[in-house]
Amino acid sequence: MDAQSRGRADEIDPADQWVLNPQTGNYELRLDQSAPQSIPSARGSGRSSTRAGAAGGRSAAPRNPASGNGARRGAAATTTEVPEQRRRRTGDASGGRAAQAQAGRRKRKQGKSRKKKVLLWTGGTLALVMVGTATAGYLYYEHLNSNITSVPDDGAGTGGFSKDRAINILVIGTDKRTGDGNEGYGDRNSAGHADTTVLLHVSKDRTNATALSIPRDLITDIPDCPTTQEDGSTKTIPGSPNTRFNVSLGQSGRTPSCTMRTVTELTGIKPDHFMVADFNAVKTLTSAVGGVPICLAKDIKDPDSKLDLPAGEHEIEGEEALAFVRTRHAVGFGGDLDRIKLQQQFLSALMRKLKSNDTLTSPTKLVKLAEAGTKALTVDSQINDIMKLRDLGLELGKFDMKNLTFATVPVRDNPAEKVKATVVLDESKAESLFAMVREDVSLTEVEQKKQQAKDKQNALLEGPRAEASDVRVDVFNGGGPQGAAGKTLEWLQNTEGVLKSSNEGNAPADVTRTTLEYAPNQADQARALADLMGLPAAAMKPGTQDAEGLTAMTLTLGPDFKGAGVPITGPAKVPDDIQKVEADKKVCAG
């Protein structure tokens, strides 16, 4: 923006108002980047208040110091007096000695008054700048909030993400034809489907993330879905067994909350939130970051998606980016699974661009992203506020890209079809993959220190085991199924011979997962109980002091407890032949 355009209030670029604070690493709203970042001078403050008015949607203060009351006073206070001005003030224009002597006698007093005026008006202008800054920030906050479209989650989610546990976000790409320029894509009268669905899991410690792609043509069961109607009433949309996954959205009046319920039924993972993106989201978000780099192993020319690109590296945005994520006939076998692989590579490149310094240090791009993101996405009502979205974004942005893996839910051709059009779950591989996500196990190697900590935890299961008859344990229910402690006690005593056990009822506080607390001299008992119950190493909580006498260990059953005799342990390694894309690796599609 040139100097001339900066003088016009209607041409203020919002991006110019945000600057990077090198001490905190955060962007802060500064309406005058030319002034010092601490206390501005009267001149700098005046300019800042001018820009604050523009940014806040008010009439900008005149740039001519003579045309504004505050500006006139500020100018008077900071201008050095000349003798002619002093003589006019004292009423003596002749310049005689008496007048000069009188002016000389008053010189020290006038200097003190001038100093007070400078402090007074500088402070007043600073206050005006602060109010103007707050007003501009508030109005921009309200502007972004007004961009957000939200719909109820109808109780299908967890109620909201938390900083002290893993986060699961359901990202749904719909093929609903909305927005300018999208009428030519397929059936413009369709209510849309869950065309592209990704369940993003970010680990509790924020070191890694897994993105599960769910094929749209997967045959599954869609459950009954209580759904909020436009008039505020609730209607239960009947479930649909043995049908395509993609009809969990849009069809029969289903909303994203129904897709959430379907994912929970399918994976055993309950999402915290959902985000729905339409065609415009791909176009606007890729343009906001200045294009997404992709690589093609061969030429792609697909008349259906309108993509026409030669082999090699490209930077795509807008319509071309949309064509890329929609193409499937020109890659692989031309099916949806090949398109998923292409989309995973695209999303990996987009996320690398989002987390790059080129984006994070550009106020212009960040403002464009804020505008594009709030306009293009539909979110659940739990995060329909820009500050909540910011907090969520901060949590999602903590993991390292090298520890983000895209994986496709394992499927196989539908055996009931002669002409293969749909797929069914490959249950043995799928359940192992789902268990890893539920147990918060990374699909990629995490940082070395984290791996060392896991190795140390796993070592707790190595060593001698006590006899079942020597195991002493108190059983508490800390969030497991109702009656879990009693049923577990009965199973331990009657089936496994752990007779020195007792049911202690509900725990003092719920836990997030099953735990076994024990003293160092009870380690052999702990290993024996872990073997019997199928406890993972993560459940082992050794103390630092030996137990005295007949003290019992403490077993607290958490939400991950499925029943007495049902192992809690999840797989430590992703099954073979799972389709994966590691986000930090650049791959040429084709």
Side-chain angles (χ1 to χ4, degrees):
M1 185 176 292
D2 57 25
Q4 183 178 3
S5 64
R6 287 182 184 273
R8 296 178 54 188
D10 59 349
E11 292 186 7
I12 295 295
D13 186 347
D16 289 343
Q17 301 169 9
W18 296 89
V19 297
L20 181 67
N21 185 332
Q23 296 179 346
T24 65
N26 296 327
Y27 281 93
E28 299 176 0
L29 193 61
R30 294 284 189 271
L31 297 186
D32 181 18
Q33 297 183 44
S34 64
Q37 296 303 315
S38 54
I39 300 179
S41 66
R43 184 179 303 170
S45 300
R47 186 182 174 206
S48 294
S49 60
T50 301
R51 297 187 69 184
R58 301 174 181 174
S59 298
R63 293 183 64 83
N64 184 355
S67 62
N69 189 37
R72 282 201 304 271
R73 295 180 182 179
T78 56
T79 303
T80 304
E81 288 187 341
V82 294
E84 181 67 23
Q85 293 172 324
R86 188 181 302 119
R87 284 196 296 271
R88 282 201 299 268
R89 255 195 233 148
T90 59
D92 184 3
S94 64
R97 288 187 177 182
Q100 293 178 8
Q102 184 180 17
R105 284 193 300 271
R106 292 181 180 177
K107 184 174 182 180
R108 179 171 298 176
K109 184 176 181 181
Q110 286 288 343
K112 185 175 182 181
S113 175
R114 252 194 340 269
K115 185 177 180 180
K116 287 184 178 178
K117 282 186 176 183
V118 170
L119 291 175
L120 174 65
W121 290 110
T122 299
T125 308
L126 175 60
L128 180 61
V129 171
M130 293 174 67
V131 171
T133 301
T135 302
Y138 173 76
L139 290 176
Y140 190 59
Y141 161 81
E142 287 295 304
H143 165 69
L144 290 178
N145 263 351
S146 67
N147 287 345
I148 299 173
T149 301
S150 67
V151 294
D153 71 354
D154 299 314
T158 62
F161 77 95
S162 174
K163 293 183 178 181
D164 59 356
R165 58 180 172 83
I167 298 176
N168 294 295
I169 307 295
L170 187 64
V171 182
I172 309 169
T174 176
D175 59 355
K176 184 177 182 179
R177 274 67 181 174
T178 57
D180 294 338
N182 297 325
E183 298 84 358
Y185 299 122
D187 182 8
R188 62 181 178 181
N189 297 317
S190 171
H193 305 77
D195 196 50
T196 300
T197 305
V198 176
L199 178 61
L200 176 64
H201 170 88
V202 180
S203 67
K204 178 181 177 180
D205 60 11
R206 308 295 187 257
T207 63
N208 61 88
T210 300
L212 289 182
S213 294
I214 304 175
R216 66 175 188 177
D217 297 325
L218 172 65
I219 297 299
T220 188
D221 295 333
I222 298 176
D224 293 344
C225 296
T227 305
T228 302
Q229 305 299 297
E230 291 185 1
D231 61 2
S233 63
T234 300
K235 174 184 176 182
T236 298
I237 301 174
S240 181
N242 201 37
T243 189
R244 289 179 191 247
F245 174 85
N246 70 344
V247 301
S248 64
L249 175 68
Q251 309 306 299
S252 303
R254 296 186 178 104
T255 66
S257 67
C258 194
T259 308
M260 282 182 106
R261 295 184 195 278
T262 305
V263 168
T264 301
E265 289 284 324
L266 176 68
T267 66
I269 303 164
K270 193 171 188 178
D272 298 299
H273 301 286
F274 65 72
M275 296 181 179
V276 182
D278 59 14
F279 287 163
N280 285 330
V282 177
K283 294 193 288 188
T284 57
L285 288 174
T286 53
S287 295
V289 297
V292 175
I294 56 108
C295 179
L296 298 180
K298 64 177 185 178
D299 298 349
I300 292 184
K301 189 168 185 178
D302 185 354
D304 291 326
S305 69
K306 305 175 184 177
L307 180 66
D308 188 358
L309 286 175
E313 297 185 359
H314 304 273
E315 193 121 321
I316 57 175
E317 63 177 279
E319 291 284 350
E320 198 168 49
L322 176 60
F324 182 81
V325 298
R326 291 188 66 249
T327 191
R328 61 189 176 98
H329 297 299
V331 293
F333 295 103
D336 188 51
L337 295 180
D338 292 302
R339 184 174 68 163
I340 286 177
K341 189 183 298 183
L342 202 70
Q343 291 173 345
Q344 290 173 343
Q345 294 167 359
F346 172 82
L347 289 172
S348 297
L350 174 59
M351 294 186 73
R352 288 196 299 270
K353 189 67 177 284
L354 287 171
K355 299 187 74 169
S356 68
N357 288 334
D358 183 48
T359 300
L360 296 178
T361 59
S362 170
T364 301
K365 287 185 179 179
L366 291 175
V367 169
K368 287 181 178 179
L369 275 172
E371 291 285 345
T374 52
K375 286 180 180 178
L377 299 176
T378 297
V379 300
D380 65 85
S381 52
Q382 303 287 345
I383 47 172
N384 63 349
D385 179 271
I386 191 64
M387 301 308 290
K388 294 179 182 177
L389 285 171
R390 182 206 64 175
D391 291 343
L392 176 59
L394 289 173
E395 292 301 307
L396 298 181
K398 289 180 178 179
F399 64 86
D400 195 314
M401 284 294 292
K402 68 182 180 182
N403 293 327
L404 167 63
T405 300
F406 286 86
T408 303
V409 171
V411 295
R412 53 191 176 86
D413 288 336
N414 189 346
E417 296 176 337
K418 292 183 178 180
V419 178
K420 305 304 180 183
T422 62
V423 293
V424 296
L425 203 64
D426 189 334
E427 294 185 5
S428 60
K429 294 180 181 178
E431 180 50 36
S432 296
L433 180 59
F434 298 155
M436 290 188 71
V437 177
R438 289 196 300 265
E439 293 295 321
D440 205 19
V441 178
S442 175
L443 269 63
T444 56
E445 292 185 5
V446 294
E447 301 165 344
Q448 185 177 5
K449 288 184 179 180
K450 185 65 180 178
Q451 190 61 51
Q452 290 174 349
K454 284 189 175 182
D455 291 342
K456 184 178 179 180
Q457 187 73 20
N458 290 334
L460 295 175
L461 294 177
E462 298 176 2
R465 268 73 170 159
E467 295 294 331
S469 58
D470 294 329
V471 173
R472 294 180 181 273
V473 61
D474 293 335
V475 184
F476 291 84
N477 191 343
Q482 186 174 3
K487 293 177 181 178
T488 299
L489 180 69
E490 181 181 353
W491 177 78
L492 285 173
Q493 292 184 346
N494 297 338
T495 304
E496 300 300 326
V498 183
L499 302 179
K500 298 172 184 177
S501 52
S502 63
N503 174 11
E504 299 298 327
N506 291 332
D510 284 352
V511 294
T512 56
R513 61 170 55 190
T514 298
T515 60
L516 176 60
E517 299 175 66
Y518 59 96
N521 60 342
Q522 295 172 323
D524 57 342
Q525 298 181 48
R527 297 186 195 103
L529 187 62
D531 288 346
L532 293 174
M533 297 198 60
L535 298 179
M540 310 294 281
K541 304 294 181 185
T544 57
Q545 294 182 347
D546 285 346
E548 296 181 0
L550 304 179
T551 303
M553 300 182 296
T554 300
L555 174 65
T556 306
L557 306 177
D560 56 344
F561 181 73
K562 304 303 180 186
V566 179
I568 298 175
T569 306
K573 181 182 178 182
V574 65
D576 295 334
D577 302 326
I578 296 293
Q579 179 176 302
K580 294 194 307 176
V581 173
E582 295 183 1
D584 67 323
K585 291 182 172 62
K586 185 176 179 181
V587 180
C588 290

